[in-house]
Amino acid sequence: MKIIRNIKTHPLTWRLRKDNKPIWIKEYKQKHGYLGILQALKKKPNDIILLIQNSGLKGRGGAGFPTGLKWSLMPQISEKKIKYLVCNADEMEPGTYKDRLLMEQLPHLLIEGILIAAYAIQANKGYIFLRGEYIEASKYLKYAIFEAKKNNFLGKNILKTNFNFELFVHTGAGRYICGEETALLNSLEGKRAIPRSKPPFPANSGLWGKPTCVNNVETLCNLPAILEYGVQWYKDLSLKNTRDHGTKLMGFSGKVKNPGVWEVPFGTTAREILENYAGGMQNNLTLKAWQPGGAGTEFLTPKHLDLPMDFDNIKNAGSRLGTALAIAIDNTINMVSLLKNIEKFFARESCGWCTPCRDGLPWIVELLKSIENNQENTKNIAILEDLCDFISPGSTFCAHAPAAISPLKSAMKYFKHEFETQIKI
């Protein structure tokens, strides 16, 4: 399928070069770069917050929390007081690589989005908390920050206004738990990456005890176009079959013919992404199951492919949109072995703070190993089901363990026969 990117239909990706090289500030400014922050600086910060609330922009990190609402929770304090804006660029979700695309090829788009957000919440310092393995992204972002400073988009009196903002890149040590914003803040402070007790929430007491807002890379990259073209344009980008607005980076990985990530309007079906963009399954393979947004989301089946890819429809089907980078599971995959690998990852990435997560997830891995090895114990399946009920939202300190067992619960729902036939009775 030939994709024609247009400035009015692909606000995130229309600038991309065919050679996949990063776009530096001269070219970025030629392609409407930094027009969004120019529009923002003409408005009052509260007006920008209201604008983003009206746009319906939701967080693109996985949770889908309304961005404008999150900003509105930041306290209105003197500009001389320190406020932080933190960009979550950790992207540790297996099967997800959308933020990497934006950072490696459009670093100035992210910087402009950060500037707009910082001005709206009146933050004066910011950090890009970057996944440690993203070596090229780190190099490109640091150079883009240098260019932005040189052109007075960062630093003191930005564009001859009273807005001051400093931005830094902080490379993380590589822990999945840093996707949880308070664990990220602990890591940024040089502490052990474990979630904090809430309240207080980061908006009131975040980085080094100061008011802090944490937003995802893709979320921030939506802001320049909304400021440039307005709320109604943004809402009209999505299809009529969804309540979500704008476009989203979505894709498929696994044994498909053309794995990748594309910018599509909310409401696009999973089938269209799989067949028209990803080229369908590889020869002699059929789709057995799929995860809508990374390894931590519940499995769906081929009968769900015609669902619009948005937050509500995927939730109503029993899964989560997550990062919207779907993983295709083909008919040759043993679900028990697949779940063992998934749960092994999540057990390893547990911060170890609470018992259900620290001890429960490794126990699940051992049970799955025993089932995979055809050990004669039918009680293991019942124990797995009990653990799935026990490790539920509200029973753990954060959402890591409940998310970790989400794929297991859905696999037990749709493919329980594979667990049962794996055991020799």
Side-chain angles (χ1 to χ4, degrees):
M1 178 180 182
K2 186 177 181 180
I3 302 169
I4 301 175
R5 298 190 184 96
N6 184 286
I7 186 173
K8 287 293 189 74
T9 59
H10 293 73
L12 294 174
T13 60
W14 72 271
R15 299 178 177 89
L16 293 177
R17 297 168 56 110
K18 291 183 180 180
D19 60 9
N20 297 326
K21 291 184 178 180
I23 294 175
W24 301 120
I25 196 164
K26 182 179 179 181
E27 182 179 356
Y28 183 66
K29 290 173 72 175
Q30 291 171 349
K31 295 179 175 179
H32 291 227
Y34 291 108
L35 293 183
I37 185 60
L38 287 173
Q39 292 296 321
L41 291 172
K42 296 176 183 177
K43 302 178 184 291
K44 295 179 180 179
N46 283 341
D47 291 340
I48 298 174
I49 294 176
L50 183 60
L51 180 77
I52 299 304
Q53 283 182 311
N54 292 337
S55 75
L57 175 65
K58 294 181 180 179
R60 302 298 201 244
F65 191 82
T67 303
L69 176 58
K70 192 172 192 177
W71 290 359
S72 71
L73 300 176
M74 293 287 289
Q76 300 294 316
I77 58 178
S78 169
E79 293 179 8
K80 294 182 181 179
K81 299 289 186 179
I82 294 178
K83 282 188 187 178
Y84 291 105
L85 175 68
V86 178
C87 171
N88 185 349
D90 200 45
E91 195 164 53
M92 289 288 288
E93 183 68 30
T96 298
Y97 39 88
K98 63 184 182 64
D99 293 343
R100 178 181 179 181
L101 169 73
L102 294 171
M103 291 185 289
E104 290 185 354
Q105 298 189 42
L106 291 164
H108 281 285
L109 178 62
L110 175 57
I111 292 173
E112 185 178 7
I114 289 173
L115 281 168
I116 293 169
Y119 178 72
I121 65 173
Q122 290 295 280
N124 38 34
K125 290 188 179 181
Y127 289 90
I128 300 174
F129 187 94
L130 183 65
R131 177 175 173 175
E133 292 86 350
Y134 282 0
I135 306 299
E136 288 188 334
S138 176
K139 180 173 66 175
Y140 297 157
L141 285 168
K142 288 176 181 177
Y143 184 73
I145 288 173
F146 166 77
E147 286 190 313
K149 285 182 178 178
K150 191 175 180 181
N151 286 265
N152 194 220
F153 290 113
L154 289 171
K156 300 288 186 181
N157 302 318
I158 292 172
L159 300 178
K160 299 180 181 180
T161 67
N162 292 325
F163 177 43
N164 306 315
F165 185 73
E166 295 289 341
L167 181 62
F168 308 92
V169 174
H170 177 89
T171 303
R175 291 306 304 272
Y176 181 88
I177 196 64
C178 288
E180 200 280 338
E181 62 181 13
T182 61
L184 181 155
L185 295 177
N186 272 340
S187 180
L188 191 51
E189 291 179 4
K191 300 174 183 175
R192 180 181 171 189
I194 57 175
R196 297 176 181 178
S197 178
K198 293 176 284 190
F201 292 93
N204 293 310
S205 180
L207 190 61
W208 292 297
K210 304 298 183 181
T212 304
C213 183
V214 182
N215 286 135
N216 171 259
V217 170
E218 186 186 351
T219 309
L220 293 164
C221 287
N222 274 273
L223 301 177
I226 297 176
L227 266 293
E228 185 177 355
Y229 298 113
V231 167
Q232 193 56 52
W233 162 81
Y234 184 73
K235 288 184 174 181
D236 290 342
L237 285 174
S238 50
L239 304 181
K240 302 301 181 183
N241 61 348
T242 178
R243 294 193 298 175
D244 290 321
H245 302 307
T247 61
K248 178 80 180 71
L249 293 179
M250 303 188 191
F252 258 94
S253 61
K255 291 186 178 180
V256 295
K257 293 179 180 176
N258 182 35
V261 56
W262 303 271
E263 182 180 6
V264 298
F266 269 114
T268 303
T269 66
R271 185 181 302 278
E272 183 176 352
I273 299 170
L274 174 62
E275 296 180 358
N276 294 351
Y277 290 84
M281 301 301 293
Q282 293 180 9
N283 294 340
N284 303 317
L285 295 176
T286 59
L287 182 70
K288 180 177 185 177
W290 57 288
Q291 293 176 286
T297 55
E298 294 86 344
F299 289 102
L300 294 177
T301 66
K303 72 177 183 181
H304 298 110
L305 281 174
D306 292 312
L307 288 174
M309 286 286 281
D310 63 21
F311 291 101
D312 288 343
N313 279 289
I314 298 299
K315 179 181 177 181
N316 293 337
S319 187
R320 291 174 294 116
L321 183 66
T323 60
L325 272 289
I327 301 173
I329 312 301
D330 66 83
N331 58 299
T332 67
I333 298 297
N334 180 306
M335 295 302 290
V336 176
S337 298
L338 174 61
L339 263 298
K340 182 200 69 175
N341 289 337
I342 290 175
E343 299 305 331
K344 187 176 180 180
F345 169 81
F346 285 115
R348 185 187 69 203
E349 294 299 326
S350 169
C351 75
W353 185 250
C354 60
T355 303
C357 189
R358 180 184 63 245
D359 296 336
L361 295 183
W363 189 7
I364 286 174
V365 173
E366 292 306 313
L367 290 169
L368 289 169
K369 282 182 180 179
S370 69
I371 295 174
E372 181 186 41
N373 294 329
N374 303 314
Q375 293 185 3
E376 300 178 9
N377 191 346
T378 56
K379 292 182 179 180
N380 285 344
I381 294 177
I383 296 173
L384 277 178
E385 291 174 327
D386 287 343
L387 284 170
C388 286
D389 291 334
F390 179 67
I391 305 175
S392 57
S395 66
T396 57
F397 197 70
C398 77
H400 178 82
I405 56 99
S406 293
L408 175 60
K409 290 178 71 173
S410 58
M412 297 284 283
K413 174 182 177 181
Y414 293 116
F415 304 101
K416 189 175 180 179
H417 61 280
E418 292 197 25
F419 290 78
E420 294 171 337
T421 56
Q422 193 77 23
I423 299 174
K424 294 180 180 178
I425 301 176

